[in-house]
Amino acid sequence: MKNQRTSKDEYYLQIAKAVAQRSICLQMRRGFGAIIVTNDTIVSTGYAGPARGVGNCNEVGECIRNVLKQKPYESYDNCPSVHAEENAVINAARHGSKVFGGVMYLFGMHSDGRISHGLPCARCRRVLINAGIKEIVTMNEKDQIIKYDVGDWIGDDSKAYIDNLKKIRK
């Protein structure tokens, strides 16, 4: 009997999971790891954590987002963290790696090991659109692989912008 070979998506997501274990987050609201693959080669990795040299929640003993009781996917301006998706793009730029046309594998997890759906926030979506990443591969809480076409987010972001303007003008 032959061993079943791990799919490429599962393989890369397991690597992104290992990267996520470097995330710095007090009480680990959620830790994320990202890798960018172009032409079947990992060209960059990134995890959620503060900018190089900047203090973090673990050092001060409190998470400002927890103190403010902020919900996931909102009010990121209060947090010193650079998201895993952003760090992967930034790290590629620091080392001259091409990400245009690449695929990002994004893995999220809670401190107890449960999977957290890796859905990029609006800020990260814009970074990924501008970097030319074509697809995001992630997992949901049910251990199912989910794929997002980054091109679809362009229309979504445009619509959200127009809707927000309409609300403001009312």
Side-chain angles (χ1 to χ4, degrees):
M1 180 174 195
K2 288 184 177 181
N3 289 339
Q4 186 174 345
R5 189 173 187 193
T6 300
S7 75
K8 290 263 177 118
D9 288 340
E10 293 167 326
Y11 168 71
Y12 287 129
L13 283 167
Q14 287 303 311
I15 295 170
K17 180 180 181 180
V19 173
Q21 293 170 6
R22 289 281 303 154
S23 288
I24 297 172
C25 186
L26 190 66
Q27 301 171 5
M28 196 128 154
R29 285 173 69 109
R30 287 175 302 155
F32 285 93
I35 65 170
I36 301 174
V37 175
T38 60
N39 299 320
D40 206 23
T41 301
I42 298 171
V43 297
S44 188
T45 67
Y47 55 85
R52 287 171 173 82
V54 174
N56 62 68
C57 303
N58 289 327
E59 293 172 352
V60 298
E62 277 191 298
C63 168
I64 192 167
R65 294 190 69 225
N66 284 346
V67 171
L68 295 172
K69 297 178 178 26
Q70 294 175 324
K71 296 177 186 173
Y73 295 104
E74 57 183 54
S75 303
Y76 290 120
D77 290 341
N78 294 315
C79 178
S81 183
V82 179
H83 293 182
E85 303 96 316
E86 294 168 314
N87 269 327
V89 171
I90 292 164
N91 289 336
R94 286 175 65 96
H95 297 284
S97 298
K98 178 186 168 198
V99 300
F100 188 82
V103 175
M104 178 175 282
Y105 291 84
L106 178 64
F107 191 89
M109 63 185 187
H110 298 274
S111 59
D112 62 5
R114 288 178 298 122
I115 295 171
S116 178
H117 189 150
L119 180 63
C121 70
R123 183 178 82 193
C124 287
R125 287 180 186 193
R126 292 178 190 122
V127 168
L128 298 171
I129 290 167
N130 279 0
I133 300 294
K134 67 178 181 178
E135 184 177 54
I136 303 298
V137 179
T138 188
M139 296 185 95
N140 65 14
E141 293 83 357
K142 296 177 182 176
D143 204 28
Q144 299 167 319
I145 293 175
I146 308 292
K147 297 182 178 188
Y148 295 102
D149 181 335
V150 174
D152 291 343
W153 295 340
I154 296 168
D156 295 346
D157 204 38
S158 297
K159 183 182 180 318
Y161 179 71
I162 291 167
D163 290 347
N164 284 337
L165 277 176
K166 288 178 184 176
K167 286 178 190 175
I168 292 168
R169 290 186 175 148
K170 284 185 179 182

